[in-house]
Amino acid sequence: MTPVYSTGLVVGKFWSPHRGHQLLLETAAAQVAELVVLVYANPDSATQPAAVRAQWLRELYRGDELTDGARIGRTLLRVFALSADEVPPDAADDYTQRAFVRQWLARQHIKPDVVFSSEAYGPGFAEHLGTDHVAVDVARLTVPVSGTLVRADPAAYAEFLHPLVAAQLGVVPPAAVPYVVFLGAESSGKSTLCAALAEACGTEWVPEYGRTLHEQKNGNLDFEDLLYIARRHAELEDEAAARAHNVLFCDTNAATTALYSYYYFHRCDPALRAMAAVGGQRYAHTFVCAPTVPFEQDGWRGPEALRSFQHGTILMQLEFYGIPYTLVEGTVAERVAQVRAALQV
């Protein structure tokens, strides 16, 4: 689709980013070549300041190729976070707010052609800037939520939050079917078991996305890739859940991705840690595959001697988070039987 406009503008608090915001951004992106997003509030959040919220937006639209910033489809997404001490108070009149944005855009040499908004102030704001205006779900009929509602009760509106954002608020969106996750050291049989269970139960399973990206990048993962892996894996789980019957089997989760972040880079993004921490809520049951199957070196894995350490680290992490788990051992058939008995499926 050829963009209708060159540069679009969206301004908001995005406190906290929700599906309504995503609808606004994605609708805008479909009509512009470049989308500029300003994120600010005054007073601002002490725990989720504008810089943090802006980074969440970037993460939501970061793709496999990280060289030219976040994109929504082919549209370049440029997200700017403004601190509370440089913006007008939220209570300031419309003219003050509009004049501030106009002056800020001029200083940045940004000339939008169109403003997108889901608020009543949108048409007047666009007129002040001398641009077109496109309204998006102003009545909140498509996505019945607002930042005010989310701030008041994140758990009640978790269904309108992307799993990455929900995790930062300590909540988990409701699932269409129970998610069952399988953790374990490298070459402990997770993928084989998930595939066998999906076939036996007539449902879906989700491969480990970290492995997919690791191979795509020829083993050269960057620190920023780890949070992206967790985010993308969660999205693939949600997509598969819509096709699943009664249960969804998941090979690995954000907790293991966090471990790899520490293993490779000796640090972990706070957003990834938050996604790891809600694993006990996101998954109805956690299974750990014992590293007792024959080790298969496929060229991507570490040495076999590392399996025992990885296994112990996974158990330590689960106990740290207070997540109960079931250990499965034996042949594939025996493990399938153990899981089906535990789940009664």
Side-chain angles (χ1 to χ4, degrees):
M1 175 180 177
T2 302
V4 179
Y5 300 97
S6 174
T7 303
L9 175 67
V10 173
V11 176
K13 294 180 181 178
F14 296 93
W15 181 8
S16 296
H18 52 67
R19 297 290 188 184
H21 291 132
Q22 290 188 254
L23 174 65
L24 172 63
L25 295 178
E26 291 162 16
T27 301
Q31 301 178 53
V32 301
E34 177 183 78
L35 182 60
V36 174
V37 181
L38 301 188
V39 181
Y40 64 86
N42 181 11
D44 204 356
S45 169
T47 57
Q48 306 161 24
V52 171
R53 302 195 302 274
Q55 186 58 26
W56 292 350
L57 292 179
R58 297 185 192 102
E59 293 295 345
L60 288 179
Y61 295 105
R62 173 171 284 174
D64 289 0
E65 298 298 329
L66 307 179
T67 56
D68 58 355
R71 287 182 176 273
I72 304 179
R74 296 182 178 180
T75 299
L76 178 63
L77 180 66
R78 300 175 64 196
V79 184
F80 297 87
L82 308 182
S83 61
D85 58 5
E86 63 178 315
V87 303
D90 292 348
D93 61 86
D94 286 347
Y95 179 83
T96 299
Q97 300 285 3
R98 296 167 182 174
F100 166 76
V101 174
R102 178 170 51 81
Q103 293 164 8
W104 186 92
L105 291 169
R107 291 195 300 271
Q108 303 299 320
H109 306 290
I110 296 173
K111 297 180 179 180
D113 308 296
V114 58
V115 167
F116 296 85
S117 79
S118 298
E119 306 290 345
Y121 67 72
F125 177 42
E127 182 179 7
H128 183 92
L129 297 181
T131 73
D132 289 348
H133 176 259
V134 174
V136 181
D137 197 26
V138 177
R140 304 294 196 275
L141 297 178
T142 303
V143 186
V145 71
S146 69
T148 301
L149 293 173
V150 173
R151 290 195 296 277
D153 193 348
Y157 294 93
E159 65 182 295
F160 300 112
L161 300 175
H162 186 284
L164 183 148
V165 175
Q168 314 314 307
L169 306 181
V171 298
V172 172
V177 296
Y179 292 9
V180 174
V181 66
F182 294 83
L183 306 179
E186 292 179 332
S187 191
S188 59
K190 301 186 301 298
S191 299
T192 301
L193 180 56
C194 282
L197 281 163
E199 181 177 2
C201 298
T203 189
E204 299 283 324
W205 75 283
V206 182
E208 179 184 1
Y209 183 71
R211 171 61 181 262
T212 301
L213 188 63
H214 190 259
E215 293 182 5
Q216 288 176 359
K217 300 191 71 172
N218 198 31
N220 298 313
L221 294 179
D222 298 314
F223 174 71
E224 292 77 11
D225 289 323
L226 277 295
L227 176 56
Y228 171 68
I229 286 169
R231 189 214 91 199
R232 186 65 190 127
H233 187 86
E235 290 172 345
L236 292 170
E237 288 178 341
D238 291 348
E239 292 169 11
R243 306 186 301 269
H245 300 283
N246 301 319
V247 64
L248 177 69
F249 298 114
C250 308
D251 178 357
T252 311
N253 65 6
T256 297
T257 305
L259 287 179
Y260 277 112
S261 184
Y262 282 111
Y263 177 72
Y264 286 116
F265 302 102
H266 305 161
R267 57 194 174 112
C268 184
D269 190 294
L272 175 52
R273 292 203 304 269
M275 293 188 73
V278 298
Q281 300 166 252
R282 182 171 175 85
Y283 301 96
H285 204 115
T286 299
F287 291 92
V288 178
C289 295
T292 52
V293 297
F295 182 79
E296 295 183 10
Q297 179 53 267
D298 58 5
W300 299 103
R301 294 171 174 146
E304 181 177 1
L306 190 60
R307 281 205 305 178
S308 179
F309 175 77
Q310 291 175 331
H311 180 68
T313 303
I314 290 168
L315 299 183
M316 179 185 71
Q317 186 186 47
L318 289 170
E319 292 179 7
F320 175 81
Y321 284 127
I323 299 174
Y325 62 88
T326 301
L327 185 70
V328 291
E329 302 181 85
T331 66
V332 174
E334 290 170 337
R335 294 182 179 202
V336 167
Q338 291 167 31
V339 172
R340 298 192 70 176
L343 299 179
Q344 296 185 340
V345 294

